[in-house]
Amino acid sequence: MSSILVAYFSASGVTAQAARRIAEAVGADVFEIEPAEPYTAADLNWNDPHSRSSVEMNDETCRPAIAGTVENMDSYDTVFVGFPIWWYVEPRIVDTFLEAYDFSGKTMIPFATSGGSGIGRAEKSVREHCPAGTWKRGGLVTADSAGTWAQSAL
């Protein structure tokens, strides 16, 4: 078991590819933050104000349930937390993850994928949802850049 965990949520597979590259580059274990109720294509239609993702993102208190849990979270010293940028921040299911564990004493490193938004507001938001972790500067990555970025982020 590694002392590094890459925990990520991926709606379309893009963030999953980046997460796998990060894990390979730094020798980390991987945990996919999967929703207890999987998202459908209609759920992810951000152009529909009534879609599940739109409703969740418009409710700052929404915490979608996660399908599984991280075993032995205490054994990890460093946690990379990955997600696609939704509405300039992390999806609410990532907040569910961040609020589910005690990250005291852990180094936390956010990474994100995006079609055009920056990571700045998301970095601020994840720190607010998980103040116990020691947050390092995050990165906006692609599958191609993720491994090299992760090595420099440690």
Side-chain angles (χ1 to χ4, degrees), residues 48-60 62 87:
D48 177 359
H50 303 290
S51 74
R52 180 176 162 198
S53 60
S54 295
V55 170
E56 288 176 0
M57 293 308 293
N58 283 318
D59 178 0
E60 292 184 13
C62 181
W87 288 260

Side-chain angles (χ1 to χ4, degrees), residues 36-109:
E37 179 185 335
Y39 290 95
T40 66
D43 290 337
L44 297 171
N45 181 0
W46 59 273
N47 289 311
D48 177 359
H50 303 290
S51 74
R52 180 176 162 198
S53 60
S54 295
V55 170
E56 288 176 0
M57 293 308 293
N58 283 318
D59 178 0
E60 292 184 13
T61 65
C62 181
R63 295 296 180 269
I66 296 174
T69 59
V70 176
E71 293 184 26
N72 304 315
M73 180 61 90
D74 291 343
S75 66
Y76 297 106
D77 298 322
T78 302
V79 181
F80 284 86
V81 180
F83 47 87
I85 300 288
W86 285 8
W87 288 260
Y88 304 103
V89 295
E90 73 285 358
R92 301 292 182 223
I93 194 166
V94 174
D95 298 336
T96 305
F97 174 78
L98 292 173
E99 294 170 1
Y101 299 93
D102 179 6
F103 291 102
S104 299
K106 296 187 187 306
T107 299
M108 307 292 290
I109 307 171

Side-chain angles (χ1 to χ4, degrees), residues 27 100 113-114 123 140:
T113 56
S114 174
E123 280 189 285
L140 196 59

Side-chain angles (χ1 to χ4, degrees), residues 121-134:
R121 284 180 56 186
E123 280 189 285
K124 182 178 184 289
S125 180
V126 295
R127 288 177 177 163
E128 289 171 355
H129 285 93
C130 182
T134 302

